[in-house]
Amino acid sequence: MEVTMKEKKTAQKLQLGASKIPRYLQHCCLFLFFFAISTPTQAFDYGDALEKSLLYFESQRSGRLPYNQRVTWRDHSGLTDGLEQGVDLVGGYYDAGDHVKFGLPMAFTVTMLSWGAIEYWQQIVDAGELEHTLEAIKWGTDYFIKAHTSPNELWAEVGDGDTDHYCWQRPEDMTTSRQAYKIDEKNPGSDLTGETAAAMAAASIVFRKKNPHYSHLLLHHAQQLFEFGDTYRGKYDASVGVVKSYYASVSGYMDELLWAAMWLYKATDNEEYFQYIVSNAHSFGGTGWAITEFSWDVKFAGLQVIASKFLIEEKHKKHADILEQYRSKAEYYLCSLLNKNDGGNNVERTPAGLLYIRQWNNMQYVSTATFLLTIYSDFLHSTNQKLSCNGGTVNHDEILSFAKSQVDYILGSNPLNMSYLVGYGSKFPQRVHHRGASIVSYREHKGFIGCTQGYDNWYSREGPNPNILVGALVGGPDNRDNFEDRRGNYMQTEACTYNTAPLVGVFAKLLEMEKQKLFHDSNSLLVSSF
């Protein structure tokens, strides 16, 4: 067996610590140590998963790519976005395997990346991935700054889903419409402004120490956007009709307004935002909705989890009754994930134990659920509390163990031994439903590839994609753990930015746990050898 660098360093530490131990016992100890690390177990390299997950966001970049772009099969694209409307909308992210820039899922992606960085900053630093994490966040927030062209104006979408889906082209060859759509005072979109405000407020916390000027700029935009969304209320899909078939706001805008106020409170410590969360708790559904989904559309569970953590702070004691109601709904959600609610009000699982919400792109719900479970486990651990469900009490270790089981399923601990994180492990989806990945790289073949040519020559191919969409979390298996690796099977093989984003922080957390376990096991082995 080949010994990794990590194992060599640990062995070196053991040798240093054993300098006063008789040599024959040192050899005995080291033999036992290497025997232990050679014992076959299903172990996952969370550091590798973290690195790969951040690479995925470089594959999804729109605009002029930077000099340090690591995903080399991509090139510049969408360089005239906004030109027809007289505004610079170059940049941002493509949401999935197509080339439309949808504001709502893009903003949620950035919020989740930022939240992960806030919760697991030191773990990401220790993994050596801080700069790549900041770059992934900033690629989105730079675009939001451009898209917020005046206090009460935000560009919601670039491109058109209908025409885009008629074409199978690389982003570098785009011939589809790049029409841009905005919301304003006459055509409001409180859900979109709310989520974008949340993303920029969360990112402002991330950049506070590293780039204070940029952090202040993000916070300024976040505050303006929240005021715009709260003053001129309405659903963005009513103002931007073309988005209805793709990212309709089913939950409405009240969850996003509460969500934005929550992140602005965390970013500013301004009591007015906290009062907004408390005074609108009932009327906006914050303490009324108990649901089993956290997603780009439905923010209640995330909001409720953050509100729960305020209960331990002395300054919030006077609002304990409202915060307790938030916590009750947060714990209903968490208990449903853990199969601990009475009366069958639990999230379904596949036979092999994967959370299953719905048929289309189920992994997005698994990754968000895993994130909330992980941070709530940390909260309970730090405050010496347990989770009380109708079906019993759960400690923080049990919650974290279940969250880890979901991540391990994603990485290959499943009936198919398939990693659903593309590029990770030896077996992963080869035919991801993704235009750019499925067509020869523009850098290798600069000849134009048209709409029908792409469908005829590339989409219909049975072979693997020529480019590996590293770090993409695909839609995943069905409710029986079955998965069909076919490009046309978009419900299972398409990946989205908001699938991978919540896992960045979780991978960093699990990597730290594995390092601590290795250190603890090596120390225990050393002690037990004498």
Side-chain angles (χ1 to χ4, degrees):
M1 168 188 149
E2 183 182 350
V3 181
T4 67
M5 284 300 294
K6 182 165 66 176
E7 291 161 353
K8 285 178 181 175
K9 287 177 181 176
T10 309
Q12 287 168 0
K13 286 180 183 176
L14 282 173
Q15 286 178 305
L16 289 170
S19 59
K20 294 182 181 178
I21 299 169
R23 188 168 295 277
Y24 74 92
L25 285 178
Q26 290 183 32
H27 284 299
C28 170
C29 179
L30 286 172
F31 170 75
L32 285 169
F33 174 70
F34 280 108
F35 175 78
I37 62 175
S38 301
T39 305
T41 56
Q42 178 121 31
F44 295 101
D45 187 342
Y46 301 115
D48 186 47
L50 172 61
E51 181 182 357
K52 286 179 163 59
S53 67
L54 288 164
L55 273 170
Y56 170 58
F57 296 98
E58 296 191 19
S59 300
Q60 295 303 110
R61 285 172 170 170
S62 181
R64 185 168 295 280
L65 302 185
Y67 72 93
N68 61 347
Q69 170 82 9
R70 295 176 294 163
V71 178
T72 56
W73 53 266
R74 281 294 324 283
D75 211 331
H76 311 311
S77 63
L79 298 182
T80 60
D81 284 358
L83 187 63
E84 289 178 35
Q85 289 75 33
V87 59
D88 177 8
L89 296 175
V90 175
Y93 287 113
Y94 303 121
D95 71 304
D98 55 15
H99 302 139
V100 183
K101 295 192 301 205
F102 293 103
L104 187 58
M106 194 194 305
F108 182 67
T109 295
V110 172
T111 306
M112 293 310 296
L113 282 170
S114 299
W115 194 2
I118 292 164
E119 295 282 346
Y120 299 112
W121 178 275
Q122 191 56 51
Q123 291 87 340
I124 291 170
V125 169
D126 292 345
E129 292 295 334
L130 179 63
E131 290 308 315
H132 294 138
T133 303
L134 296 181
E135 286 170 6
I137 294 167
K138 194 170 185 291
W139 196 266
T141 51
D142 282 352
Y143 174 76
F144 299 146
I145 290 169
K146 288 181 172 185
H148 185 211
T149 40
S150 71
N152 295 339
E153 183 176 84
L154 177 67
W155 292 87
E157 180 178 332
V158 180
D160 168 49
D162 293 341
T163 58
D164 182 274
H165 283 61
Y166 286 124
C167 271
W168 196 263
Q169 287 178 295
R170 302 174 297 195
E172 295 84 3
D173 290 328
M174 267 191 291
T175 55
T176 49
S177 167
R178 300 308 286 171
Q179 173 74 37
Y181 304 86
K182 69 177 179 179
I183 54 174
D184 53 28
E185 294 171 11
K186 294 180 180 178
N187 304 283
S190 304
D191 27 29
L192 177 61
T193 54
E195 185 59 62
T196 311
M200 297 176 99
S204 77
I205 300 171
V206 173
F207 286 102
R208 188 175 289 160
K209 290 183 179 178
K210 298 282 285 185
N211 191 339
H213 174 75
Y214 188 67
S215 171
H216 181 76
L217 178 63
L218 292 174
L219 193 54
H220 174 69
H221 279 280
Q223 290 172 316
Q224 279 193 345
L225 282 165
F226 175 70
E227 189 175 339
F228 167 34
D230 190 41
T231 305
Y232 302 94
R233 294 181 183 177
K235 284 176 62 177
Y236 93 116
D237 57 12
S239 298
V240 182
V242 293
V243 81
K244 280 186 177 177
S245 301
Y246 303 95
Y247 289 102
S249 183
V250 178
S251 71
Y253 58 77
M254 293 179 183
D255 53 335
E256 276 87 9
L257 286 178
L258 288 171
W259 183 236
M262 177 66 78
W263 280 107
L264 280 163
Y265 177 60
K266 286 175 71 68
T268 63
D269 206 30
N270 184 331
E271 194 67 20
E272 288 183 17
Y273 294 119
F274 184 75
Q275 285 296 331
Y276 188 95
I277 299 159
V278 170
S279 61
N280 291 296
H282 297 304
S283 59
F284 281 16
T287 54
W289 281 49
I291 43 185
T292 51
E293 169 190 326
F294 176 48
S295 66
W296 57 264
D297 180 29
V298 189
K299 312 297 155 48
F300 288 112
L303 167 76
Q304 291 155 357
V305 163
I306 298 176
S308 302
K309 297 166 82 170
F310 289 149
L311 271 166
I312 61 167
E313 297 179 20
E314 190 61 37
K315 65 179 179 179
H316 296 131
K317 293 293 184 187
K318 61 183 177 182
H319 297 296
D321 57 331
I322 298 292
L323 294 177
E324 283 287 0
Q325 291 174 57
Y326 271 116
R327 178 169 179 160
S328 172
K329 294 300 185 287
E331 295 196 338
Y332 177 92
Y333 168 78
L334 296 164
C335 293
S336 73
L337 299 174
L338 297 164
N339 204 32
K340 293 284 187 179
N341 277 337
D342 287 344
N345 295 317
N346 294 305
V347 174
E348 183 185 342
R349 297 184 191 180
T350 68
L354 182 72
L355 292 168
Y356 192 81
I357 305 292
R358 57 178 62 92
Q359 184 181 15
W360 194 315
N361 188 19
N362 180 62
M363 280 299 189
Q364 65 174 305
Y365 309 109
V366 178
S367 66
T368 52
T370 300
F371 180 86
L372 292 186
L373 285 163
T374 303
I375 65 166
Y376 208 75
S377 168
D378 288 345
F379 168 63
L380 294 177
H381 182 46
S382 66
T383 55
N384 195 28
Q385 297 183 75
K386 292 184 178 180
L387 173 63
S388 296
C389 302
N390 292 332
T393 303
V394 190
N395 65 32
H396 72 91
D397 281 334
E398 191 176 341
I399 297 170
L400 190 56
S401 177
F402 179 69
K404 183 177 179 295
S405 76
Q406 298 301 294
V407 173
D408 290 351
Y409 185 109
I410 288 169
L411 296 181
S413 183
N414 56 62
L416 300 179
N417 296 314
M418 163 86 75
S419 166
Y420 293 104
L421 190 77
V422 178
Y424 178 91
S426 58
K427 183 182 179 184
F428 51 83
Q430 302 287 322
R431 298 162 187 83
V432 181
H433 182 91
H434 188 277
R435 288 157 175 75
S438 68
I439 303 175
V440 63
S441 168
Y442 180 80
R443 296 197 179 201
E444 291 180 24
H445 176 78
K446 286 190 166 54
F448 176 75
I449 296 174
C451 286
T452 54
Q453 186 184 355
Y455 270 116
D456 294 344
N457 298 346
W458 297 99
Y459 179 80
S460 56
R461 285 172 75 246
E462 291 186 5
N465 289 349
N467 309 303
I468 299 174
L469 193 66
V470 173
L473 178 59
V474 297
D478 64 16
N479 63 348
R480 307 301 300 172
D481 298 296
N482 299 313
F483 179 79
E484 187 181 350
D485 186 12
R486 186 170 48 82
R487 204 168 291 114
N489 180 23
Y490 46 82
M491 286 191 181
Q492 293 189 324
T493 62
E494 189 166 25
C496 301
T497 56
Y498 44 87
N499 293 19
T500 296
L503 291 182
V504 170
V506 176
F507 286 145
K509 164 72 176 180
L510 293 178
L511 174 61
E512 178 193 52
M513 281 176 54
E514 288 300 301
K515 286 178 179 177
Q516 290 173 345
K517 184 175 182 295
L518 181 65
F519 182 73
H520 178 267
D521 289 351
S522 63
N523 281 348
S524 299
L525 194 60
L526 182 61
V527 170
S528 65
S529 300
F530 303 107

